Amino acid sequence: MDITELILDDHREQRRLFAMLEQIDRSETAVLAAIWDRLAAFLELHALAEEEIFYPALLEVGIAARKASGVKDETLDAIHDHNEIRDAVAEVARHQVGTDNWYAAVAAANLANSDHMAEEEREGLTDFRRLAGLSRRHQLAVTFAAYEARNFAGVTPVDKDPETYVREVTKEVRPAAPGSLSVGSLKRN
């Protein structure tokens, strides 16, 4: 297992669920609501799992590789994106399922999520594969899978201040020996 592959698997499932919503007749409101509820819970669980497990590890390996600026920027952007996705999901809840306004809100959530996934796939996941060894990626995959399994019923959405998030997480990173790419573990994991 590799955490980057688990995240990509989640991204594929998110895309699949959004596509399903586009293909169901708007009169099937109970079906639309059930799929949306599953997707909305999954989006939040995925974001929180990344915030608890993946992004702290990305910061850790990036700092150890002397690429702190790049991984901090990627993480700031990701946390900002997660907040936008949470806000878009909350907007969907303000509309009656199957209405034009509901579909517009779902489309806005899809756009926010798609933009985030594309950027994460180009940057954060790529950087992590370059900076973290397979054993580290495996260990994090196990933690990530367990986290999502334990919280399958959903988690409470809470926006985070990106600057505060990065500052708090980087305080927990143990510095690596100069020139070393082996890094200590975070207290969170």
Side-chain angles (χ1 to χ4, degrees), residues 5 26 30 51-52 67 88 117 146 175-176 185:
E5 288 301 317
R26 69 177 45 230
E51 291 167 1
E52 292 291 321
K67 297 181 182 295
M117 290 187 302
S185 63

Side-chain angles (χ1 to χ4, degrees), residues 21 25-34 36-37 88-107:
L21 290 172
D25 188 274
R26 69 177 45 230
S27 66
E28 302 266 359
T29 56
V31 175
L32 289 168
W36 172 254
D37 289 347
V89 167
E91 181 60 28
V92 173
R94 292 182 181 85
H95 302 286
Q96 184 178 345
V97 176
T99 63
D100 289 343
N101 289 337
W102 184 82
Y103 276 103
V106 168

Side-chain angles (χ1 to χ4, degrees), residues 60 136 139 172-174 182-189:
E60 180 183 28
R136 177 74 169 134
Q139 178 260 327
E172 296 179 12
V173 173
R174 276 196 261 150
S182 65
V183 293
S185 63
L186 293 174
K187 294 175 191 172
R188 291 178 185 258
N189 295 335

Side-chain angles (χ1 to χ4, degrees), residues 28-50:
E28 302 266 359
T29 56
V31 175
L32 289 168
I35 292 170
W36 172 254
D37 289 347
R38 176 178 173 210
L39 176 55
F42 184 41
L43 290 169
E44 181 54 34
L45 175 56
H46 175 80
L48 193 55
E50 286 183 344

Side-chain angles (χ1 to χ4, degrees), residues 167-182:
R167 187 172 46 256
E168 289 176 358
V169 170
T170 55
K171 281 183 195 175
E172 296 179 12
V173 173
R174 276 196 261 150
S180 169
L181 284 180
S182 65

Side-chain angles (χ1 to χ4, degrees), residues 16-183:
R16 187 180 78 81
L17 291 168
F18 273 113
M20 288 172 67
L21 290 172
E22 295 168 355
Q23 298 173 53
I24 297 169
D25 188 274
R26 69 177 45 230
S27 66
E28 302 266 359
T29 56
V31 175
L32 289 168
I35 292 170
W36 172 254
D37 289 347
R38 176 178 173 210
L39 176 55
F42 184 41
L43 290 169
E44 181 54 34
L45 175 56
H46 175 80
L48 193 55
E50 286 183 344
E51 291 167 1
E52 292 291 321
I53 299 159
F54 176 70
Y55 282 101
L58 176 64
L59 286 164
E60 180 183 28
V61 298
I63 290 168
R66 298 191 177 9
K67 297 181 182 295
S69 176
V71 296
K72 284 181 181 179
D73 288 345
E74 290 171 26
T75 303
L76 288 167
D77 190 52
I79 302 307
H80 174 77
D81 290 351
H82 287 173
N83 290 339
E84 285 185 346
I85 295 164
R86 288 180 182 109
D87 294 345
V89 167
E91 181 60 28
V92 173
R94 292 182 181 85
H95 302 286
Q96 184 178 345
V97 176
T99 63
D100 289 343
N101 289 337
W102 184 82
Y103 276 103
V106 168
N110 190 3
L111 179 61
N113 192 57
S114 294
D115 288 348
H116 167 68
M117 290 187 302
E119 195 168 41
E120 186 172 71
E121 290 167 7
R122 271 191 327 273
E123 297 173 0
L125 295 177
T126 299
D127 286 346
F128 198 71
R129 281 189 296 271
R130 288 179 181 149
L131 298 172
L134 187 55
S135 64
R136 177 74 169 134
R137 295 192 322 260
H138 173 79
Q139 178 260 327
L140 289 168
V142 171
T143 303
F144 194 87
Y147 185 91
E148 286 190 328
R150 279 193 306 273
N151 294 287
F152 73 93
V155 294
T156 304
V158 177
D159 279 355
K160 294 172 178 61
D161 175 66
E163 296 282 342
T164 302
Y165 174 87
V166 169
R167 187 172 46 256
E168 289 176 358
V169 170
T170 55
K171 281 183 195 175
E172 296 179 12
V173 173
R174 276 196 261 150
S180 169
L181 284 180
S182 65
V183 293

